[in-house]
Amino acid sequence: MNALFALLAAGMALAIAGLALSACSEVEDVSGGGYEPAHVETVEGAEVQRVTFTPEGARRTGLRTVTVRRSGSHRVVPHDALIYDPAGTAYVYTRPAPLTFLRVPVDVDRVEGDRVLLADGPPAGTEVVTVGATEVYGTELGIAGGH
């Protein structure tokens, strides 16, 4: 009878250890393999860099985009799309390709509630980042967040 209990106890210990290891496998695989949620590339002749997220990096960041609209002579973006650099220059991040983002300067004419009317910027129909714009900016500048 003692041998049966010892065998059951050993089996339970192995099962618990297996569950603990399987629960950590995604984290270990991702962080142990040098996983990067995005990479940054130099854009020849530009002061900005191209940021490309992995599908998982974009999902975890929660990136969302909207299309620039036209209203009269202005292009309109949500206020959440605006990023300001330390010098006060306003930008938006465009999405020229899936999971790829490029910072573009904009000239803000005025803000009306949560809408920004642009005197100059990307053309109507261009996708711009709204949710996650600060994360794209931090990625472009190499500002790492801690977990």
Side-chain angles (χ1 to χ4, degrees), residues 63-69 76-82 92-95 101 114-116 122-131:
L63 293 174
R64 299 282 182 259
T65 62
V66 299
T67 303
V68 176
R69 295 180 300 114
V76 180
V77 297
H79 193 269
D80 291 341
L82 285 183
V92 295
Y93 275 96
T94 62
R95 190 183 83 112
F101 306 95
D114 63 351
R115 298 178 342 137
V116 179
T126 303
E127 285 188 63
V128 295
V129 176
T130 54
V131 177

Side-chain angles (χ1 to χ4, degrees), residues 2-3 10 33-34 40 44 51 65-67 69 73 93 105 108 117 129 135:
N2 284 339
V40 179
E44 193 170 326
V51 179
T65 62
V66 299
T67 303
R69 295 180 300 114
S73 63
Y93 275 96
V108 176
L117 282 68
V129 176
E135 287 80 2

Side-chain angles (χ1 to χ4, degrees), residues 42-137:
T42 301
V43 176
E44 193 170 326
E47 294 181 18
V48 298
Q49 299 183 81
R50 182 179 304 111
V51 179
T52 303
F53 278 81
T54 64
E56 180 68 10
R59 185 188 68 75
R60 287 179 181 243
T61 303
L63 293 174
R64 299 282 182 259
T65 62
V66 299
T67 303
V68 176
R69 295 180 300 114
R70 180 161 285 298
S71 177
S73 63
H74 294 94
R75 296 160 209 168
V76 180
V77 297
H79 193 269
D80 291 341
L82 285 183
I83 295 289
Y84 290 93
D85 71 7
T89 304
Y91 295 90
V92 295
Y93 275 96
T94 62
R95 190 183 83 112
L99 303 175
T100 302
F101 306 95
L102 191 62
R103 187 164 40 109
V104 174
V106 295
D107 183 12
V108 176
D109 181 54
R110 66 183 180 274
V111 176
E112 293 180 350
D114 63 351
R115 298 178 342 137
V116 179
L117 282 68
L118 303 175
D120 194 19
T126 303
E127 285 188 63
V128 295
V129 176
T130 54
V131 177
T134 55
E135 287 80 2
V136 178
Y137 186 60

